[in-house]
Amino acid sequence: MCFKNLPIEFDAQGKPFLRAGVADPYGPSSAGPRGAPAQLTAERIEDLLKRNGYIKDLDFDPVTRVAGALAFHTVADFQGRKVLEARSMATLFRGYEVIMIGRDPRDAIFITSRACGVCGGVHSVTSAMAIEMAIGCVPPPLGILIRNIALALEFLYDHPLHLHLLAGPDYSAAMVGPTNPSLLARARSAEAPHAEIHGFRTIGELMEDLNPLSGKLYLEALHMTRVAREAYVLICGKYPHPQTIVPGGMSSTVTLTVMNEMFIRLAQFFDYSKKLAAIWDDLTEFFYEANPAYKQVGARRANLIDTGIFDHPDAYDATYASATAWGERRWATPGVIMDSQLVTTDLHALNIGIEEFVEHSYYEEWSGSGQRQRFPTDPVGNPLSPYHPWNKVTKPRPQGQNWKEKYTWDTAPRWDRQAMEAGAYARLWNTAVARKLPANPFIEATGTSLKLRLPKGALPELELEWKVPAVWNAFERNRARAYCTGFTALVALNNWLAAMDRLKQGDTRTSTPFEIPKRGEQRGVGFWGAGRGFLTHHLTLDRGAVANYQIVTPSTWNASPTDRWQQPGPYEEAVLNTPLLEETDDPVKFKGIDILRAIRSFDPCMPCTTHIHSDAGVITRK
Amino acid sequence: MRVIVAGVGYRNLRDHSVGIAVADRLLDHAWGGDVVVEDLSYNPIAVMQRLEDEPPERRFTRAVMVGAVERGNRPPGTVAAYRWDGVLPSDEEIQRAVSEAVTGVIALDNTLVVTRHFGGLPEDVVVIEVEPGVQAFGDEFSESVARVVDQVCELAVTMATDAGAAARLPRGPLGGARPAAAGHGLG
């Protein structure tokens, strides 16, 4: 049974049902998550601040080198070198749900794309999938394959961007020198074990080339984002907001020529993936060896969630009823990892376990006494919480910031009441452990690892192996992201080969005609993923128009605030566990690098989280 | 002289779309010289790469960059034109600009900083800014901005075709020599 906290049990056929005899199964007094950490109370923190001069507020506003507006408040004990309080703040209102109400659902594909300047196409496809589930429209096989390739190409833009433009500089000589001079000195004489792959003789040389603006790795990442973007544009027309995504597939015309031009670009990522994995292996092991306390930077329980991505054309039928079956045929397996153990790969269980809370968010409750729960069950009769996205109503309520009350525009999504983390690594972990990968020559799931056989390029053919890590922290997030580049490139390769087969057989159809029903009520959900992980769009249609639209992004999970049980959100928990290893006691020189490493390892994307909209208009920049 | 006239902004964002609207209109202009008009409203890193794609002998020698920039210290509809001195902010600010660029922010200042830092822009850059009044979804300008669109188009044409015209503009840092109507004030 995958639920430990929600009052849901399963019958002999595996059908979930609400446990009998629970008076108010989802009410505010219902059971909280077992074994979850809790923030200290605001009163306790105030008392500690008053009584100890070495305990100080430490604020990051804004957190730079992340997408969008994120602020972070901590209270740090500079004597004990630890963090006592951590509060994650999305500082702009999320409003796409409000914008969508009453519109033609087809608008959602183009409007929700604008939620993000990196993964716009991902939102478009998720939206299209929610619509096709609601209206009953299945893309043709080639449409599914091209959609998979397009998603992979978006990730091949996103992964280098995260690794070497946003998070990478935290490990550069320019950053390590001022914060940990002894570490940089050690790095300069530490030989890099994988020099023959990445070309850097020492870790110090590698750190030099991670330097922002001038480092070779930084500049190379900028170039690689172009390669991925060009490949994407060849099949989707435009990036990051394609006009070719439709319910039931893609509206673009795909030919052998297009596929070959795209492949030339994709192939460049085979060698690049080898290099990324080698770099992040060497960096990670160097830090661990230099000081094992780095294993605690950004550490938290390995509670991960992912919807799975990359559909199999023989399995995907766009129905909710079959979601369990087609979900498990995906190239990245859906799943929930709880305390490092895979507890489900069932998209139904994953879906019904989601709740979104707003106790510390600038929203009004939509559920409570006297308020009707819109959908007590999902479309196949499984129980749903009143806090589930299909039942959620977005009711923004701006007010003053108060740690005891409300302090962020992000909500607190939880699965089985636990704070879950989304990320590319969740898809690696699920896929490695579940062993449900389609048969293929390039990727092998062993149960404890993923083996990635990358073809020969300028570098020889190479088998990488990403192993499920023993610890879960900032370094492992980045390392997994590096390996995920190879995984993504190989999924794209598998789908490219399948698409070429289709084209050779004369199967060029990429979309299925559809009509939006003008009567009745329909529900759909897009289960998809961004480079950063988990993405869902939950949609309700009423007489042809959007009656409710709810988006849960990876950063909605990761940046979430403390919940009604005082359980911190993932950034908060990771920062609370982070030791302050910076080599200075001078608060003026203190940069908070370890805290920033912890936060940036999640690859925050606040436009996705908060959807930058205000009553006064759209905020394009703050 | 080979010139690119570029609009930068967001479509359907009322006054903030003025740069794109100007570029759209000038696409049909009967240009006498070697002038290219483009909408450069996308990731500034990609803009830099697009500018660098010009073969060395065909590189642009002047860029006329048009867009809405909210400085907040001048009335809506103010038009300010200046030759950018090309001086870049600190490395930290450039990093921030790059981070914003790759994560989807489209803003005239950002585009200038990123494309200058990585060497995509020509030396000779004329910036034409319009102070927006309204930030909301829609394709209509506020009255203040609607009133100056024709003038901005004329100014962009002059700057793109008259080699000496730009020399008469004040040269200044990002944002112009002085904040309000200090450049070619037409507002």
Side-chain angles (χ1 to χ4, degrees):
Chain A
M1 189 176 83
C2 63
F3 296 115
K4 298 272 192 292
N5 301 297
L6 284 173
I8 297 175
E9 293 179 0
F10 293 81
D11 66 17
Q13 284 73 46
K15 175 90 178 157
F17 64 92
L18 265 184
R19 189 183 303 140
V22 182
D24 186 10
Y26 295 106
S29 59
S30 56
R34 293 173 212 171
Q39 294 258 19
L40 294 176
T41 63
E43 290 80 5
R44 174 79 179 126
I45 290 292
E46 278 168 26
D47 184 50
L48 286 168
L49 277 165
K50 259 188 237 159
R51 289 196 292 111
N52 302 288
Y54 53 84
I55 295 177
K56 294 178 190 302
D57 286 325
L58 182 62
D59 293 326
F60 303 83
D61 186 6
V63 177
T64 57
R65 262 191 286 118
V66 302
L70 172 69
F72 210 87
H73 165 75
T74 66
V75 173
D77 172 351
F78 282 88
Q79 195 173 72
R81 313 291 287 188
K82 60 185 180 184
V83 177
L84 302 175
E85 182 180 50
R87 304 281 181 177
S88 171
M89 292 168 282
T91 54
L92 293 173
F93 170 46
R94 167 184 193 159
Y96 272 65
E97 290 91 343
V98 180
I99 294 167
M100 285 314 308
I101 300 293
R103 289 183 182 270
D104 185 305
R106 288 167 292 194
D107 289 353
I109 296 170
F110 306 104
I111 291 176
T112 62
S113 167
R114 264 66 183 179
C116 186
V118 178
C119 52
V122 176
H123 280 283
S124 288
V125 172
T126 314
S127 183
M129 295 176 93
I131 297 167
E132 63 200 24
M133 183 183 284
I135 67 174
C137 172
V138 190
L142 186 64
I144 292 170
L145 295 168
I146 298 298
R147 203 149 76 174
N148 289 345
I149 296 168
L151 183 69
L153 295 172
E154 285 195 90
F155 292 179
L156 294 177
Y157 174 91
D158 204 353
H159 296 334
L161 188 158
H162 166 73
L163 288 168
H164 289 175
L165 300 181
L166 303 178
D170 288 342
Y171 306 87
S172 68
M175 184 55 83
V176 176
T179 56
N180 296 79
S182 71
L183 195 66
L184 182 58
R186 182 182 175 129
R188 292 200 194 286
S189 58
E191 287 190 8
H194 293 104
E196 80 283 3
I197 299 173
H198 54 56
F200 297 100
R201 193 179 55 82
T202 66
I203 300 295
E205 284 176 15
L206 203 162
M207 286 179 170
E208 290 291 345
D209 274 323
L210 280 171
N211 280 347
L213 301 180
S214 59
K216 284 182 195 148
L217 291 170
Y218 186 94
L219 298 173
E220 183 186 36
L222 283 179
H223 170 71
M224 293 310 287
T225 62
R226 175 189 185 149
V227 176
R229 213 168 49 227
E230 285 178 354
Y232 185 86
V233 166
L234 281 165
I235 54 172
C236 295
K238 193 155 83 65
Y239 177 92
H241 304 303
Q243 307 287 305
T244 46
I245 311 296
V246 290
M250 310 273 301
S251 67
S252 43
T253 302
V254 177
T255 63
L256 286 170
T257 306
V258 166
M259 292 297 283
N260 280 316
E261 287 183 8
M262 193 268 290
F263 183 79
I264 290 166
R265 285 147 179 100
L266 170 63
Q268 295 178 47
F269 283 90
F270 301 146
D271 274 0
Y272 190 57
S273 302
K274 298 167 196 167
K275 196 170 162 181
L276 287 179
I279 287 169
W280 286 91
D281 269 343
D282 285 359
L283 268 179
T284 301
E285 297 306 326
F286 168 78
F287 273 83
Y288 286 176
E289 199 179 311
N291 185 352
Y294 277 111
K295 290 184 179 176
Q296 277 302 305
V297 170
R300 70 180 294 271
R301 300 165 294 163
N303 285 358
L304 314 176
I305 188 163
D306 195 73
T307 61
I309 42 174
F310 303 125
D311 285 303
H312 198 292
D314 296 342
Y316 179 69
D317 68 359
T319 67
Y320 185 81
S322 304
T324 299
W326 54 253
E328 291 183 345
R329 297 279 304 276
R330 287 180 150 184
W331 283 92
T333 313
V336 174
I337 304 287
M338 194 67 78
D339 286 327
S340 304
Q341 300 302 315
L342 182 68
V343 296
T344 185
T345 56
D346 180 346
L347 273 174
H348 286 167
L350 188 142
N351 185 45
I352 67 172
I354 300 171
E355 296 175 290
E356 238 179 310
F357 299 106
V358 294
E359 274 76 5
H360 290 291
S361 313
Y362 299 128
Y363 300 94
E364 284 181 38
E365 287 282 353
W366 63 90
S367 175
S369 59
Q371 288 177 295
R372 189 171 71 94
Q373 179 177 335
R374 181 69 195 83
F375 297 109
T377 64
D378 70 4
V380 294
N382 298 323
L384 281 186
S385 163
Y387 300 100
H388 186 274
W390 266 324
N391 285 316
K392 185 187 167 202
V393 183
T394 300
K395 295 175 147 185
R397 187 176 184 185
Q399 57 191 278
Q401 185 185 73
N402 182 333
W403 308 130
K404 291 182 202 169
E405 305 283 335
K406 298 188 182 257
Y407 61 87
T408 179
W409 282 107
D410 191 11
T411 59
R414 297 292 184 260
W415 190 86
D416 193 26
R417 306 270 157 93
Q418 297 278 5
M420 307 300 294
E421 184 174 335
Y425 28 85
R427 80 179 51 113
L428 289 191
W429 198 318
N430 288 332
T431 308
V433 175
R435 304 190 73 186
K436 292 177 188 285
L437 258 177
N440 78 101
F442 306 113
I443 313 170
E444 181 190 348
T446 68
T448 56
S449 70
L450 269 183
K451 290 183 175 175
L452 310 171
R453 296 183 190 106
L454 287 153
K456 180 178 179 300
L459 291 169
E461 181 182 312
L462 186 69
E463 181 177 279
L464 300 177
E465 185 173 14
W466 178 81
K467 294 174 183 156
V468 170
V471 289
W472 190 237
N473 58 29
F475 290 87
E476 296 303 336
R477 285 185 195 99
N478 290 330
R479 189 202 314 242
R481 192 75 181 259
Y483 277 81
C484 204
T485 311
F487 173 72
T488 304
L490 292 177
V491 170
L493 177 57
N494 275 303
N495 280 272
W496 183 86
L497 289 167
M500 290 296 275
D501 278 345
R502 291 265 166 199
L503 287 169
K504 282 183 212 161
Q505 291 161 24
D507 178 2
T508 57
R509 206 162 60 89
T510 54
S511 66
T512 302
F514 67 92
E515 281 187 16
I516 302 295
K518 298 295 177 200
R519 290 182 182 178
E521 185 179 74
Q522 297 85 24
R523 264 190 288 173
V525 51
F527 294 116
W528 207 230
R532 299 165 167 97
F534 183 109
L535 179 64
T536 53
H537 288 204
H538 283 82
L539 161 78
T540 307
L541 298 181
D542 185 7
R543 286 164 290 172
V546 173
N548 196 11
Y549 204 97
Q550 294 293 330
I551 302 173
V552 181
T553 69
S555 299
T556 315
W557 291 96
N558 295 341
S560 71
T562 297
D563 61 25
R564 57 171 57 173
W565 301 286
Q566 294 307 306
Q567 176 184 207
Y571 295 171
E572 294 178 339
E573 185 182 341
V575 168
L576 284 167
N577 290 330
T578 295
L580 306 178
L581 302 172
E582 210 167 319
E583 294 168 13
T584 178
D585 289 321
D586 182 350
V588 179
K589 290 182 183 165
F590 189 79
K591 290 185 185 298
I593 182 62
D594 300 300
I595 291 172
L596 290 168
R597 281 181 183 135
I599 296 170
R600 290 195 186 115
S601 68
F602 289 88
D603 191 13
C605 184
M606 306 318 289
C608 272
T609 310
T610 57
H611 297 179
I612 46 181
H613 179 271
S614 77
D615 284 347
V618 176
I619 297 161
T620 52
R621 191 166 188 229
K622 272 281 179 187
Chain B
M1 187 166 77
R2 185 157 194 263
V3 182
I4 181 165
V5 177
V8 176
Y10 288 86
R11 282 194 187 271
N12 298 317
L13 199 55
R14 299 204 59 186
D15 288 355
H16 285 258
S17 307
V18 69
I20 301 171
V22 168
D24 285 351
R25 281 205 204 179
L26 293 182
L27 277 174
D28 296 330
H29 184 80
W31 296 100
D34 192 357
V35 179
V36 173
V37 179
E38 281 190 17
D39 173 4
L40 294 186
S41 307
Y42 48 87
N43 169 359
I45 294 293
V47 173
M48 176 267 290
Q49 289 161 341
R50 180 263 169 272
L51 294 173
E52 283 185 337
D53 278 351
E54 292 291 317
E57 70 282 5
R58 297 276 296 154
R59 286 284 174 101
F60 295 109
T61 53
R62 174 177 293 173
V64 179
M65 308 290 285
V66 187
V69 184
E70 192 174 342
R71 302 283 176 204
N73 54 4
R74 54 194 182 187
T78 299
V79 179
Y82 64 97
R83 279 181 304 145
W84 183 31
D85 62 14
V87 175
L88 289 166
S90 67
D91 277 1
E92 200 173 327
E93 285 300 311
I94 299 171
Q95 268 191 68
R96 184 177 296 192
V98 174
S99 297
E100 291 191 341
V102 295
T103 55
V105 171
I106 298 164
L108 184 55
D109 284 357
N110 227 41
T111 300
L112 290 168
V113 167
V114 170
T115 51
R116 166 69 80 210
H117 172 79
F118 289 109
L121 269 187
E123 279 301 305
D124 187 1
V125 178
V126 172
V127 181
I128 303 176
E129 296 182 1
V130 179
E131 180 72 17
V134 182
Q135 190 177 50
F137 288 123
D139 55 7
E140 286 183 1
F141 295 123
S142 67
E143 206 174 302
S144 319
V145 169
R147 216 169 33 227
V148 300
V149 173
D150 288 345
Q151 292 168 292
V152 174
C153 289
E154 283 169 28
L155 183 58
V157 170
T158 304
M159 292 302 147
T161 53
D162 181 346
R168 295 192 289 277
L169 288 176
R171 188 172 164 84
L174 220 52
R178 277 177 290 149
H184 196 103
L186 295 175

